[in-house]
């Protein structure tokens, strides 16, 4: 939790202007439906910025099953070039483009689909290809694409990872982890083991040094079963009587809560909760020690996500990026697959609270794969200009709202239900995962539990909830509908 400055009129005007520029540049082009028993259907959707575009291509096999495929098409504009691509091996000769399957997506049964994509460049126009072939067979099938919002700045240079999604059906369990398995970043989304974008919804602890009594079997059962939460964020403060006072003890507490979340089928977001000082470099050595320990111990688990710096403040994005590029390799040495979430400038506001915006991250992303970027908000203080920047940034960056409140930026005050619901509607629409601050009984407006709740044994039902808790529980416990195909 933090104190984010109130937005200035200058920032509001900047965000509004950017939002107005992003709508007109988007394009979506369908290709028409196959009539023959053999064939394919292709959906080609682009989002453009000045000088470039991102193309997302969905290929559906309408013919016999194939084991290995080659997609061919030609750009109608000679100035178009394939840049960085993902989920296929890309080549280009003149205007002709070829995408070949990789090891994990080459098998396409009849009716099966796979998605690939690339970042491209163009000169004056950006027309879409109108003819595709799959293994030499013309794709004359049609699907209806959706048109995403288009950014005005280039995307990150790190492609989505190409770790193969499994082809087995969903496991019998119905918990979030049983359904979704090991998560990964794909494009600008958090995706499950089937390569499908998902949204996790859950709660953050308060500082585990102060509210350990709130995280027991009964309370965690209530979070998993009554709230139907997907996610437990474990807020381990580094200063403020936290990790630096007892590194081994706090590491053990975090690991215990990871296990508790795993037993209930929830994802565990390990939060290295830096706040004061705001420069993450102050805790670089501690971060390396801590993440080396927890990543080694939890490497085999599928439910762990690492948040390496809660709210950087008073420092540049370049400093935050340098910190991330030193900590992430420590995690990757033990756990090469887990998602890592990186804090952003201005108390994880994408720089908005410092009068900036997400361009600094978009144009200079962390040099690592499977990385997401943090955004935090407090609904009574952070409104339309913050929402506009999140919507703009989400077209280019994989975002994770690892902390938000329904109240003002102090973590206290009255619940702003209208702004909170506007935020949650936006996050739901964009499939941005979130954790609410806080699952605790602290006597402040952001706490979900009434004061004194954690001294008892009852955590289920609306009777133990504050106004904030009731609002968030009602939102979280609606069905997830995680896609598995």
């Amino acid at each position: 939790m933090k104190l984010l400055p109130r937005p200035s009129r200058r920032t509001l005007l900047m965000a509004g202007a950017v939002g107005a520029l992003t709508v007109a540049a988007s394009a979506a082009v369908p290709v028409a439906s196959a009539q023959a028993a053999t064939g394919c259907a292709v959906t080609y959707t682009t989002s453009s910025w000045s000088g470039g575009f991102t193309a997302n291509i969905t290929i559906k096999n309408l013919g016999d099953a194939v084991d290995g495929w080659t997609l061919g098409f030609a750009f109608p504009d000679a100035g178009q070039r394939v840049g960085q691509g993902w989920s296929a091996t890309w080549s280009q000769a003149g205007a002709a483009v070829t995408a070949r399957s990789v090891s994990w997506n080459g098998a396409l049964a009849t009716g099966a689909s796979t998605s690939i994509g690339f970042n491209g460049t163009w000169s004056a126009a950006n027309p879409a290809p109108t003819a595709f072939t799959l293994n030499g067979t013309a794709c004359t099938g049609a699907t209806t694409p959706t048109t995403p919002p288009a950014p005005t700045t280039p995307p990150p240079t790190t492609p989505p990872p190409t770790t193969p999604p499994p082809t087995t059906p969903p496991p019998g369990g119905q918990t979030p982890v049983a359904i979704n398995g090991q998560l990964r970043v794909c494009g600008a989304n958090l995706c499950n083991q089937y390569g499908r974008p998902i949204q996790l919804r859950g709660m953050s602890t308060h500082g585990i040094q102060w509210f350990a009594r709130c995280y027991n079997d009964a309370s965690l059962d209530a979070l998993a079963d009554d709230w139907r939460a997907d996610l437990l964020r474990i807020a381990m403060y580094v200063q403020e009587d936290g990790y630096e006072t007892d590194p081994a003890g706090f590491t053990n507490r975090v690991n215990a809560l990871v296990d508790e979340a795993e037993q209930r089928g929830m994802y565990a977001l390990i939060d290295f909760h830096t706040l004061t000082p705001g420069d993450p470099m102050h805790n670089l050595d501690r971060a390396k020690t801590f993440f080396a320990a927890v990543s080694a111990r939890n490497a085999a688990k599928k439910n762990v996500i690492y948040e390496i710096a809660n709210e950087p403040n008073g420092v540049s994005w370049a400093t935050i990026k340098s910190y991330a590029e030193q900590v992430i390799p420590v995690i990757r040495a033990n756990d090469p697959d887990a998602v890592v979430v990186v804090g952003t400038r201005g108390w994880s506001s994408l720089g908005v609270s410092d009068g900036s915006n997400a361009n600094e991250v978009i144009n200079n992303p962390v040099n690592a794969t499977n990385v997401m970027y943090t955004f935090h908000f407090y609904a009574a203080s952070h409104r339309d200009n913050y929402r506009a920047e999140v919507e703009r940034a989400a077209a280019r960056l994989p975002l994770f709202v690892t902390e938000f409140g329904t109240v003002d930026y102090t973590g206290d005050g009255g619940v702003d239900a209208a702004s909170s619901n506007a935020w949650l509607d936006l996050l739901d629409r964009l499939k941005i995962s979130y954790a609410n601050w806080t699952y605790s009984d602290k006597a402040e407006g952001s706490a979900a539990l009434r004061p004194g709740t954690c001294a008892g044994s009852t955590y289920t039902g609306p009777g133990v909830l504050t106004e904030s808790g009731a609002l968030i529980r009602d939102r979280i416990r609606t069905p997830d509908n995680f896609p598995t195909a």
Side-chain angles (χ1 to χ4, degrees), residues 288-348:
K288 289 180 176 180
T289 299
F290 173 74
F291 284 110
V294 294
S295 63
R297 192 262 189 184
N298 298 300
K301 297 181 184 295
K302 296 180 178 179
N303 73 316
V304 179
I305 305 168
Y306 301 97
E307 181 182 2
I308 62 174
N310 166 58
E311 288 182 347
N313 58 88
V315 294
S316 67
W317 168 244
T319 297
I320 301 166
K321 179 176 182 286
S322 176
Y323 166 84
E325 289 174 354
Q326 294 178 71
V327 174
I328 292 172
V330 173
I331 297 171
R332 290 284 180 256
N334 297 315
D335 193 343
D337 299 321
V339 172
V340 176
V341 188
V342 178
T344 58
R345 186 155 70 99
W347 295 273
S348 284

Side-chain angles (χ1 to χ4, degrees), residues 206-230:
H206 207 302
I208 57 177
Q209 74 273 42
W210 300 314
F211 291 92
R213 68 182 186 279
C214 291
Y215 313 115
N216 53 57
D217 284 346
S219 70
L220 295 175
D221 285 346
L223 188 62
D225 300 330
D226 181 49
W227 287 62
R228 302 172 197 164
D230 311 317

Side-chain angles (χ1 to χ4, degrees), residues 166-198:
T167 56
T168 54
Q174 292 303 305
T175 68
V177 175
I179 295 170
N180 294 297
Q182 178 64 57
L183 305 179
R184 58 175 57 84
V185 179
C186 54
N189 297 108
L190 178 65
C191 291
N192 64 11
Q193 62 178 330
Y194 303 99
R196 298 294 301 277
I198 64 165

Side-chain angles (χ1 to χ4, degrees), residues 264-307:
R264 292 164 176 82
M266 293 188 291
Y267 288 92
L269 178 62
I270 298 177
D271 165 31
F272 195 68
H273 201 88
T274 54
L275 182 61
T276 304
D279 183 351
M281 289 296 190
H282 179 82
N283 287 301
L284 178 61
D285 289 341
R286 295 184 185 93
K288 289 180 176 180
T289 299
F290 173 74
F291 284 110
V294 294
S295 63
R297 192 262 189 184
N298 298 300
K301 297 181 184 295
K302 296 180 178 179
N303 73 316
V304 179
I305 305 168
Y306 301 97
E307 181 182 2

Side-chain angles (χ1 to χ4, degrees), residues 455-475:
S457 58
T458 300
Y459 294 88
T460 58
V464 298
L465 301 178
T466 63
E467 182 182 357
S468 180
L471 188 158
I472 299 301
R473 174 178 173 270
D474 284 348
R475 297 291 302 232

Side-chain angles (χ1 to χ4, degrees), residues 123-149:
S123 52
N126 189 27
T130 56
F132 296 80
T133 61
L134 188 69
N135 290 355
T137 299
C139 296
T140 54
T143 56
T144 303
T146 57
T147 304

